[in-house]
Amino acid sequence: MSTSAKRSFGSTLRIGLSRYWGVLAVLLAWQAWVSISGVNAIVMPQPINVLTDLVTNPMVYITNGGQTLILAALGLVLGMFLGTIVAVLAWTSRLLNGILVPLGLIFSSVPVVALIPVLARLLGYDLKTVLAIVVIISFFPAFVFTSAGLKALPPGSDDLFKVLGASRLTRFFHLVLPSAVPNWMIALRLAAPPSVLSAMVAEFLMGSSGLGYLFRSAASDFQTERAFGTSVVATVISVLCFTAALGAERRVNNRWK
């Protein structure tokens, strides 16, 4: 390893320790407690065993994690798209607003675990139901925040467009829709991590693959290291999704301002 590479590695290690020393302290305390108390591995595995399972069986996690990530991403895109379309339709008409807003609120208030059996009967016990659950979970933030953004116009801008004789379509594309973009980005940031969680819940309850299924099968077989490893992978994916959405939100907001 060259000198520059060693310096870069040392700098990265120092930054990592300075930011995540709390996580490292918790892992060390966890390892010490399990080792000293002698708790059965079925109840609480050692962190080193969880790490060993992650390192020695990477394809198990990559295959199932990749499926969950793809379903979460696809469901997030579809849910954001549908939520945006419904919000725009509600903006265009008071009648549609009176119909769609209450339906959206009621439908989004139904617990996911209550929807899964119904959707599974309609769509089948396969990936379509998992995808539908993610779409529903992602729909509500997009609908609420886009609806609010469509009404949050800069002060005086709407009057200016009316004075200049702008049509309703021109106002929508040049004023209303751009004003909703920051709110839409907030919805994306809020919906990204739950999309992974909802995909896992659906896979846990009725899936035959994915991280949710892997967690369920590992817990049923008392493979607690595998179950904890699945949780670690799911957490990493959720954090990465949130970080990516947050970065996109900041870039868009900087450009919009």
Side-chain angles (χ1 to χ4, degrees), residues 76-92 100 138-147 150 172 177 180-181 183-185 187-188:
L76 177 64
V77 171
L78 292 175
M80 293 293 296
F81 176 75
L82 290 176
T84 304
I85 292 297
V86 174
V88 171
L89 290 176
W91 178 85
T92 58
L100 295 175
S138 304
F139 167 85
F140 186 61
F143 174 65
V144 171
F145 280 90
T146 304
S147 297
L150 293 173
F172 175 74
L177 197 58
V181 170
N183 278 35
W184 193 88
M185 296 305 299
L188 178 64

Side-chain angles (χ1 to χ4, degrees), residues 130-230:
V130 178
L131 181 62
I133 291 298
V134 181
V135 171
I136 291 172
I137 294 299
S138 304
F139 167 85
F140 186 61
F143 174 65
V144 171
F145 280 90
T146 304
S147 297
L150 293 173
K151 299 174 184 175
L153 304 180
S157 58
D158 195 34
D159 293 334
L160 178 61
F161 271 68
K162 289 179 180 177
V163 168
L164 294 175
S167 64
R168 186 174 173 84
L169 194 62
T170 302
R171 286 173 53 227
F172 175 74
F173 281 110
H174 293 279
L175 176 62
V176 177
L177 197 58
S179 299
V181 170
N183 278 35
W184 193 88
M185 296 305 299
I186 295 175
L188 178 64
R189 170 167 54 85
L190 295 178
S195 66
V196 178
L197 176 62
S198 57
M200 276 196 67
V201 170
E203 291 168 347
F204 179 86
L205 293 176
M206 44 74 61
S208 58
S209 57
L211 288 179
Y213 170 77
L214 182 63
F215 182 88
R216 186 187 70 193
S217 61
S220 301
D221 297 336
F222 301 106
Q223 294 178 314
T224 48
E225 296 89 359
R226 182 67 52 85
F228 273 72
T230 305

